[in-house]
Amino acid sequence: MSEPVARPRPEAPLHGGLPRRLAAPLGALAAATSAFGLLGAVDPNEPGHYPVCPLLHLTGLFCPACGGLRSAHAVAHGDLGAALGANALAVAGYAACAVFWAVWASRAARGRRTAGPRPRAVHWWALGGLLLVFTVVRNLPFGSGLAP
């Protein structure tokens, strides 16, 4: 006896009008725009505006997020070179978030389900490994180009 073949179910369109379907993506866009607007207005390069990184303060080591605020400030001002110099991994994260948002908004506008496949444990381990390697390399002499 053969096993039944799993057939993909057709994707059912979401209910609700366009404004309702786009409410969540547009809300997320408004939040991200507000955050980048604040970082564009309040310069993290000037001391006293934002708290210091506890890891850097206590150990002198850069964490994977060190330079992230300066990176976002540079992105808000359109200076991609300075953004990459402050935290290249953060810039890659901003770009990935923009792509994911565009897919989410596009699917919502067309009335399609917006939940994609959930990340598996291997994806989380890979992300953790990337952050660990980035952190170690930026704290070594040959990786000083990745330091903020």
Side-chain angles (χ1 to χ4, degrees):
M1 184 159 125
S2 66
E3 294 183 28
V5 176
R7 294 184 185 155
R9 289 187 284 173
E11 198 171 297
L14 297 174
H15 298 290
L18 184 63
R20 181 181 171 128
R21 293 191 314 255
L22 287 178
L26 292 178
L29 179 64
T33 302
S34 298
F36 273 86
L38 174 67
L39 283 166
V42 181
D43 190 356
N45 294 305
E46 296 177 13
H49 292 292
Y50 299 99
V52 298
C53 172
L55 183 68
L56 181 62
H57 181 70
L58 294 173
T59 67
L61 297 173
F62 297 115
C63 76
C66 279
L69 292 176
R70 290 185 295 273
S71 176
H73 176 78
V75 167
H77 287 274
D79 189 354
L80 187 59
L84 288 169
N87 191 325
L89 192 59
V91 174
Y94 307 148
C97 285
V99 168
F100 289 136
W101 180 87
V103 170
W104 177 28
S106 171
R107 290 183 61 80
R110 290 181 292 156
R112 298 291 177 201
R113 289 199 165 284
T114 56
R118 297 206 178 253
R120 297 182 186 178
V122 68
H123 299 120
W124 293 114
W125 281 105
L127 179 61
L130 174 67
L131 289 172
L132 181 63
V133 168
F134 179 72
T135 303
V136 169
V137 169
R138 76 189 315 207
N139 284 292
L140 293 174
F142 66 86
S144 62
L146 294 175

